[in-house]
């Protein structure tokens, strides 16, 4: 912390209990001992109810605890989400609870995905392509270039959705549909392709009419959607 206001120094009375310091200024948690404080879920749950930003100073193990991270999200307008473990981004039920608090959490979730060959891939109509002509060894793919024009996937891209959680949230139709039903602002962070799908946009507009501003130009002009 830049100003160090909560840090123990010569101006503070030696031996002052950490509970008193933290009660006076929650930011003192940055300097508190791990035991009973930064490493205590019970204590951090209470402190994150004061300010979700306190999650930044929790022990690493606690920052992967869904209950604690959600508590922090609820008491920071979603901003404390950035302090949570990124592995939580793959947990759809947890992410939907976060979206209910603030769709802004989706801004912090990557829209990128890689296949098991390490190549970046992009979803087109729910199918992933890496747009390569061949593998790293220089050998062309037997099926031809991996792209939607060729309508062929390389073997690595064909395996991307063997684990559905590999799909980036902004490109995940099921997740985005559920998300906009809970918070219409989630449409803002959906992949461009999904913002052009009528069913998803209609669900968002039903949740909140202002969602139309995030729909594709074509759907914004669709009277059935706009009305």
């Amino acid at each position: 912390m830049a100003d160090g206001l909560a840090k123990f120094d010569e101006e503070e009375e030696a031996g002052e209990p950490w509970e008193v310091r933290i009660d006076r200024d929650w930011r003192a948690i940055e300097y508190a001992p791990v035991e009973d404080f930064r490493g205590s879920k019970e204590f951090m749950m209470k402190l994150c109810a004061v300010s979700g930003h306190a999650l930044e100073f929790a022990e690493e193990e606690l920052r992967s605890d869904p209950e604690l991270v959600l508590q922090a999200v609820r008491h920071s307008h979603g901003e404390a989400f950035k302090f949570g473990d990124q592995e939580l981004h793959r947990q759809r039920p947890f992410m939907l609870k976060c979206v209910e608090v603030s769709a802004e959490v989706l801004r912090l979730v990557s829209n990128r995905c890689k296949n098991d060959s390490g190549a970046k891939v992009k979803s087109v109509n729910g199918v992933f392509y890496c747009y390569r002509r061949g593998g790293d060894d220089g050998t062309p793919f037997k099926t031809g270039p991996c792209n939607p024009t060729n309508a062929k996937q390389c073997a690595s891209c064909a395996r991307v959705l063997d684990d559905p959680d590999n799909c980036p949230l902004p490109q995940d139709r099921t997740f985005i549909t559920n998300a906009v039903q809970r918070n219409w602002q989630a449409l803002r962070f959906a992949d461009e392709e999904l913002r052009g799908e009528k069913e998803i946009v209609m669900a968002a507009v039903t949740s909140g009419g202002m969602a139309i501003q995030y729909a594709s130009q074509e759907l914004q002009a669709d009277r059935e959607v706009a009305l």
Side-chain angles (χ1 to χ4, degrees):
M1 185 171 61
D3 56 18
L5 290 176
K7 187 176 182 179
F8 173 79
D9 58 30
E10 64 274 12
E11 295 181 1
E12 293 184 294
E13 181 181 352
E16 183 179 39
W18 278 105
E19 290 88 343
V20 175
R21 303 182 199 184
I22 295 170
D23 186 57
R24 182 170 60 241
D25 185 344
W26 69 264
R27 293 171 296 176
I29 189 63
E30 179 178 2
Y31 308 101
V34 172
E35 186 177 359
D36 297 329
F37 297 97
R38 291 187 295 112
S40 167
K41 179 177 177 179
E42 181 180 2
F43 186 86
M44 291 305 302
M45 284 289 291
K46 294 178 180 178
L47 189 59
C48 283
V50 175
S51 173
H53 292 278
L55 180 66
E56 179 180 5
F57 307 113
E59 275 293 278
E60 182 177 357
E61 182 178 353
L62 290 182
R63 295 199 301 274
S64 64
D65 185 293
E67 185 180 14
L68 179 60
V69 175
L70 184 58
Q71 174 84 316
V73 167
R74 285 173 173 155
H75 295 278
S76 65
H77 303 290
E79 293 181 4
F81 179 79
K82 61 187 176 184
F83 302 127
D85 192 311
Q86 290 191 359
E87 281 300 309
L88 292 174
H89 298 186
R90 291 169 55 87
Q91 298 184 19
R92 267 54 175 176
F94 165 77
M95 288 303 304
L96 287 174
K97 290 178 181 179
C98 289
V99 168
E100 288 181 359
V101 176
S102 173
E104 286 289 325
V105 299
L106 295 177
R107 177 175 55 82
L108 302 172
V109 175
S110 175
N111 191 22
R112 297 177 180 177
C113 181
K114 293 182 179 181
N115 61 25
D116 55 18
S117 293
K120 293 180 180 179
V121 300
K122 176 69 176 177
S123 170
V124 178
N125 295 323
V127 181
F128 286 86
Y129 302 96
C130 62
Y131 295 83
R132 297 182 299 165
R133 292 180 175 275
D136 294 336
D137 59 0
T139 304
F141 296 132
K142 293 180 180 180
T143 54
C146 179
N147 60 49
T149 302
N150 188 41
K152 298 291 184 180
Q153 291 176 287
C154 67
S156 290
C157 285
R159 292 191 292 267
V160 167
L161 293 183
D162 283 355
D163 179 355
D165 287 348
N166 284 337
C167 184
L169 295 184
Q171 298 178 27
D172 186 328
R173 282 174 172 72
T174 300
F175 175 82
I176 290 297
T177 299
N178 289 329
V180 298
Q181 291 172 344
R182 289 164 171 75
N183 187 337
W184 62 265
Q185 295 188 61
L187 186 64
R188 174 185 175 188
F189 303 99
D191 188 73
E192 181 179 0
E193 179 185 333
L194 299 188
R195 286 187 276 117
E197 293 196 3
K198 192 169 184 176
E199 181 180 352
I200 290 176
V201 172
M202 287 286 285
V205 171
T206 299
S207 179
M210 293 292 288
I212 191 65
Q213 65 186 300
Y214 301 125
S216 64
Q217 291 295 317
E218 180 181 354
L219 288 181
Q220 288 187 34
D222 187 315
R223 290 180 59 84
E224 181 181 0
V225 175
L227 296 178

